[in-house]
Amino acid sequence: MARVLVDVMLKPEILDPQGQAVQRALPRMGFDSVTNVRQGKRFELELADADPATLRATAEQMAEKLLANTVIEDFKVTVLSSDVENA
């Protein structure tokens, strides 16, 4: 088993109303140093393949077909471990 992360973020040119709402709320909570917030989502996948290249390719296909809307979102695949049971 292997663990793979897929981080999906809105492309920089896409308006992010949820991120803007968080950015406006943080100073009211005393966090005055925040200059920008962009929100996204993370998928943690466990896959039954141990070859890192195959894991990455499989996760990229999943992201392109289902996990991300590639018209408005970018994604990044990170292969964490090729053996979840020993991680």
Side-chain angles (χ1 to χ4, degrees), residues 37-77:
V37 175
R38 299 286 289 176
Q39 65 89 33
K41 54 191 169 187
R42 170 177 280 186
F43 297 90
E44 296 182 7
L45 308 171
E46 291 184 9
L47 302 174
D49 195 323
D51 175 53
T54 302
L55 292 168
R56 179 174 301 282
T58 300
E60 287 175 352
Q61 289 176 358
M62 291 178 186
E64 290 172 358
K65 292 182 178 180
L66 178 66
L67 304 178
N69 178 349
T70 58
V71 174
I72 63 170
E73 296 173 321
D74 293 324
F75 65 87
K76 175 183 162 192
V77 172

Side-chain angles (χ1 to χ4, degrees), residues 22-23 26-27 31-37:
V22 171
Q23 183 179 353
L26 287 171
F31 300 103
D32 296 326
S33 63
V34 178
T35 60
N36 190 28
V37 175

